Amino acid sequence: MKQNTRNFSDAAGRYALSLFEISKEKKILEEIELNIKFVDQALNKSEDFKKFVTNPTISKNDRLNVIEEIGKKNNFNIFFINFLKILIEKHRFFFLGKIISYFNDILCDFRGELKAIVSMPSKMSEIQIKEIEGMLNKILKKQINLNFKHDPSLISGAKLQIGSLMIDDTVKSKFNKILNNL
């Protein structure tokens, strides 16, 4: 097993690391990962859920009740439900998106995976994303954890980020280079 070498200086990072360590210790890491993926998708696809997480005017009791209900309906692990409740009690629920991002980074490190993000102006199917992920796995000879971002502002082309390496083959970046050279 790989030891975590990340050093978090903010609260969201420390919460993510705590959730990871407890999940690993209790041998429920896969279950917590599924719960995290569900909440991450809800944050990314539902404006209402995003507002629920970030709106400071929602009462603590209302948040606790909603999280309890979401947890029951979606069979969340009790440790994960309690983790979300702690965030609410400590007025840290608005960190949830950042905590999820850090948790996924920690998980990638633990598994020896590389995290990659591909951005394109058109939407892609899960099959297409898996094909790109497979090609990157073969080229880099390492397991890639690929996330797709739909960005209509790119016009055409694609942008790929693997760790600190950025490959930008978009019309937008080419156009900006031309403008900067004028």
Side-chain angles (χ1 to χ4, degrees):
M1 278 192 226
K2 190 173 178 182
Q3 185 65 27
N4 185 20
T5 58
R6 288 189 182 263
N7 182 15
F8 293 106
S9 60
D10 66 348
R14 291 188 299 271
Y15 276 111
L17 187 57
S18 296
L19 179 61
F20 174 79
E21 292 295 335
I22 289 169
S23 301
K24 191 172 77 170
E25 181 181 309
K26 298 281 184 188
K27 299 184 186 339
I28 56 172
L29 194 54
E30 288 179 14
E31 194 175 344
I32 299 301
E33 181 183 9
L34 291 174
N35 296 166
I36 287 277
K37 281 182 182 177
F38 179 90
V39 172
D40 191 29
Q41 286 178 346
L43 273 172
N44 290 321
K45 294 182 179 178
S46 170
E47 263 323 296
D48 289 338
F49 188 71
K50 188 181 287 186
K51 287 176 185 172
F52 169 74
V53 170
T54 58
N55 185 343
T57 62
I58 299 173
S59 76
K60 182 169 48 170
N61 286 336
D62 288 345
R63 277 200 171 111
L64 289 169
N65 291 335
V66 168
I67 287 302
E68 185 76 36
E69 199 59 37
I70 289 172
K72 284 179 186 175
K73 282 187 178 179
N74 295 289
N75 296 318
F76 282 178
N77 182 290
I78 190 67
F79 286 102
F80 187 65
I81 294 171
N82 289 337
F83 174 78
L84 295 175
K85 287 180 176 180
I86 288 170
L87 292 177
I88 293 167
E89 291 286 342
K90 299 292 183 185
H91 304 284
R92 300 286 191 262
F93 199 57
F94 63 93
F95 281 147
L96 190 57
K98 205 170 179 184
I99 291 168
I100 289 170
S101 178
Y102 282 143
F103 183 88
N104 289 329
D105 289 347
I106 294 166
L107 203 53
C108 281
D109 286 352
F110 176 71
R111 293 181 175 157
E113 299 173 345
L114 288 175
K115 188 175 180 181
I117 301 168
V118 65
S119 302
M120 297 180 76
S122 57
K123 293 188 179 184
M124 295 181 67
S125 70
E126 285 296 318
I127 294 168
Q128 291 171 314
I129 293 169
K130 290 294 177 193
E131 286 176 7
I132 292 171
E133 195 174 67
M135 288 188 301
L136 290 171
N137 287 341
K138 286 180 186 176
I139 293 167
L140 299 172
K141 294 177 176 54
K142 196 152 190 168
Q143 184 63 34
I144 302 295
N145 184 345
L146 184 68
N147 290 317
F148 173 76
K149 287 192 177 178
H150 173 243
D151 186 354
S153 74
L154 296 178
I155 305 167
S156 178
K159 185 172 20 173
L160 175 65
Q161 181 177 351
I162 303 172
S164 61
L165 173 68
M166 173 72 79
I167 302 167
D168 191 344
D169 190 37
T170 61
V171 170
K172 182 179 180 180
S173 73
K174 290 175 184 177
F175 185 67
N176 285 335
K177 284 178 188 174
I178 292 169
L179 288 176
N180 288 332
N181 289 331
L182 291 178

